[in-house]
Amino acid sequence: MRKREMDGNIAKLPFENFFSGRRGRGRPPFLPAASVRSCADNYRTSLKRGWNELSGPLLSAETEQEVANALRSVPLGYPHELPLLAPLIFKVIKDAKFPKRKTAQIKFLADSIGGGGTVTPRRSRDICAKERAADAQRHHIVRFEYWIECSCGYRGRSEYHSCRKCGAILYLPNVAELDSSQYE
Ligand SMILES: [Zn+2]
């Protein structure tokens, strides 16, 4: 397979093996760098949600087991695998570079464990930083319209999401802004 050549941004990550504890046969699976970053984003959200409650017991933990206990004691939502990452998280929070400030701590920790322990925390943070920087370079949709049918009788393309004939407005849901800045 030329998969790695097709996507230059692929990290070498036996990701499933990590959680299953088993090592598969043959070539280890590859996880795209975008997935590392995506996991980190999810961890950022979850850690942010529970940090006030979690940070005390987590940051004072002296063993991997205490880290796991701290993570289980706080409802963090979606990433149920977080306690499984306790050994990795323990390593990250004891890192001399672990930030002092709350939001920086959340981002640093989330990005460090985005790779699920299959790459070093440092490499995981590098992957996240590279992916976030690449966002700024990619083209993105700056405008989109709908095909609409309005009660005034107009059928056709909307203009800035409103009816081209009578100006009726289509309300769009707000898209929550994701905080993807660096460790500040
Ligand atoms: Zn109309």
Side-chain angles (χ1 to χ4, degrees):
M1 263 299 279
R2 287 181 302 137
K3 186 151 174 53
R4 266 189 291 179
E5 289 162 40
M6 283 152 50
D7 183 349
N9 256 344
I10 282 185
K12 193 176 172 185
L13 296 176
F15 194 75
E16 290 135 23
N17 292 349
F18 181 82
F19 290 116
S20 70
R22 276 176 280 128
R23 170 138 183 102
R25 284 185 302 157
R27 184 183 292 233
F30 292 95
L31 190 67
S35 301
V36 175
R37 180 266 178 92
S38 161
C39 285
D41 282 347
N42 287 333
Y43 293 142
R44 281 184 177 209
T45 305
S46 300
L47 290 172
K48 199 173 172 183
R49 187 182 303 139
W51 197 249
N52 285 342
E53 222 180 315
L54 176 67
S55 58
L58 179 68
L59 300 182
S60 63
E62 290 299 334
T63 63
E64 295 173 359
Q65 186 58 50
E66 284 176 24
V67 167
N69 292 343
L71 289 164
R72 288 201 187 92
S73 70
V74 178
L76 294 172
Y78 154 71
H80 303 295
E81 75 270 18
L82 268 177
L84 296 176
L85 297 174
L88 177 67
I89 292 171
F90 183 66
K91 203 166 129 189
V92 173
I93 61 177
K94 296 302 174 191
D95 189 321
K97 275 177 286 182
F98 191 72
K100 297 278 183 277
R101 289 175 48 233
K102 176 184 160 179
T103 50
Q105 288 176 332
I106 293 168
K107 293 174 185 177
F108 185 92
L109 176 55
D111 287 7
S112 298
I113 64 176
T118 56
V119 290
T120 64
R122 171 66 200 270
R123 173 84 184 116
S124 182
R125 292 195 298 275
D126 286 348
I127 291 170
C128 290
K130 197 176 161 194
E131 282 297 297
R132 294 201 171 97
D135 281 353
Q137 305 298 319
R138 292 186 187 109
H139 282 297
H140 54 283
I141 306 291
V142 293
R143 179 183 169 183
F144 68 98
E145 297 293 346
Y146 295 109
W147 172 271
I148 58 167
E149 295 184 13
C150 185
S151 55
C152 74
Y154 173 79
R155 301 174 71 165
R157 186 169 67 76
S158 64
E159 183 132 302
Y160 295 102
H161 306 134
S162 59
C163 174
R164 296 178 85 183
K165 185 177 166 191
C166 76
I169 294 167
L170 175 67
Y171 290 101
L172 293 172
N174 286 322
V175 177
E177 272 192 10
L178 181 68
D179 182 0
S180 61
S181 58
Q182 284 302 304
Y183 320 117
E184 290 150 4

